[in-house]
Amino acid sequence: MRSSTGTRATALAAALLLAGCIEVPAGLLHSDRFAPSAGECLYPGLNDFRALPARFSLLSWNIYKQQGDWQAELARWAEETELLLLQEASGEPALYQWLSERDLHWFQVAAFSWRERPNGVLTAAPGDVTQVCAQRVAEPATRVPKSLLFSRYPLEGAAEQLLVVNLHAVNFSLRGRTYQAQLDRIGKEVAEHGGPVIVAGDFNRWNARRNRMLNDWARAQGLTEAVPEPDVRTRFLGYALDGIFYRGLELEWVDSARSEASDHGPLRAGFRMPGH
């Protein structure tokens, strides 16, 4: 959500979609190890199995399609980070090369294709996930899809795997119905998962109704928000657009920063398994 240009961006996106510049490709899931897949879920092998450490850190950032000097900022913020969650990631070679140089394996949802490059949320980490599932949700106003990625990682000290949800929420939704439906889709997976959970990304909560929906949803799922201090997250009408919610983990620290490369600043957090 861009507070100053959101309306113009919405109109432009709708025009581009109608003109055929933005396409919804058949390949839903992209990755560094698999050909693009039209299926919603993949189950990678565990030949190079490596669990996430019991104490780990996470970076969540709406990278704004890498339009600014993103490499310097990402390199600084992602240092010694085990989980990387990007929103509005554009599948350009420079980003994939950056991930490869750091031995990060990634999956990306192709919410839509722009100039023959997939655009959508991307989650990266050392080693492979055991399961990854993707979803597109079309914006009611523009029909340009937003994306959602569920990833399951083995975690040291945990009897069950860690469920990581990377979200770019719908922006404009009449009475919040599509927004609530997207939260309910996540809630179904969270409710059925008995292990630790992290839900992070761009929640596009830019009014009181959305904020209330999000808080009610998190409470129902037993999720706690990791609120940074000081809190310099990007806001619209006073509401923080980005967030990290968690369950079954202990929060060690959380911080936020301002970005010169994107209209969203990053969120970083450190977690550990209880007892470690």
Side-chain angles (χ1 to χ4, degrees):
M1 174 76 182
R2 276 160 290 286
S3 58
S4 61
T5 61
T7 303
R8 292 196 299 274
T10 300
L12 175 60
L16 290 172
L17 182 63
L18 292 172
C21 299
I22 290 178
E23 300 177 348
V24 180
L28 176 63
L29 267 172
H30 293 239
S31 79
D32 60 320
R33 294 189 169 187
F34 298 89
S37 171
E40 185 173 290
C41 295
L42 286 174
Y43 302 86
L46 294 176
N47 294 330
D48 64 343
F49 170 82
R50 178 168 41 156
L52 288 172
R55 179 178 276 110
F56 65 93
S57 61
L58 173 148
L59 167 66
S60 179
W61 185 28
N62 183 324
I63 200 169
Y64 195 28
K65 303 179 180 65
Q66 299 99 253
Q67 295 188 45
D69 185 17
W70 60 272
Q71 293 201 38
E73 292 190 4
L74 187 56
R76 182 169 70 253
W77 293 325
E79 186 176 1
E80 298 182 0
T81 295
E82 285 79 23
L83 277 171
L84 175 62
L85 281 65
L86 301 177
Q87 302 85 45
E88 287 198 50
S90 177
E92 62 180 56
L95 176 60
Y96 295 156
Q97 179 65 29
W98 190 95
L99 295 166
S100 175
E101 289 172 353
R102 287 156 179 81
D103 295 323
L104 295 173
H105 301 308
W106 55 268
F107 284 89
Q108 181 181 15
V109 184
F112 60 88
S113 179
W114 165 247
R115 294 178 177 173
E116 301 184 348
R117 293 175 179 172
N119 284 258
V121 298
L122 181 151
T123 301
D128 279 326
V129 296
T130 60
Q131 181 194 52
V132 59
C133 294
Q135 186 187 39
R136 296 182 182 119
V137 179
E139 284 278 4
T142 67
R143 308 311 298 169
V144 176
K146 291 295 195 296
S147 50
L148 183 61
L149 186 62
F150 300 89
S151 305
R152 286 177 167 83
Y153 294 92
L155 180 63
E156 290 179 359
E160 296 191 50
Q161 296 179 60
L162 170 67
L163 172 62
V164 178
V165 185
N166 188 353
L167 165 70
H168 191 188
V170 294
N171 216 338
F172 301 100
S173 170
L174 183 63
R175 291 187 292 277
R177 290 176 181 173
T178 307
Y179 188 75
Q180 184 65 58
Q182 197 173 20
L183 292 177
D184 290 344
R185 170 72 174 90
I186 300 172
K188 181 177 183 297
E189 293 291 331
V190 170
E192 294 175 354
H193 183 76
V197 175
I198 294 174
V199 183
D202 180 355
F203 286 87
N204 269 322
R205 54 171 160 189
W206 42 263
N207 63 19
R209 175 185 291 161
R210 285 175 174 240
N211 189 57
R212 182 176 63 253
M213 285 180 174
L214 182 57
N215 288 336
D216 289 348
W217 168 83
R219 190 178 305 110
Q221 300 303 325
L223 295 166
T224 301
E225 184 167 13
V227 179
E229 180 62 41
D231 188 348
V232 296
R233 287 177 292 177
T234 301
R235 294 177 179 271
F236 184 66
L237 299 179
Y239 297 101
L241 302 179
D242 306 289
I244 299 173
F245 293 80
Y246 66 97
R247 186 188 76 189
L249 297 164
E250 292 184 359
L251 178 68
E252 293 196 307
W253 56 269
V254 57
D255 62 22
S256 59
R258 293 186 174 91
S259 170
E260 297 297 326
S262 172
D263 58 350
H264 287 247
L267 267 175
R268 303 182 300 177
F271 295 97
R272 66 177 176 134
M273 277 299 299
H276 287 76

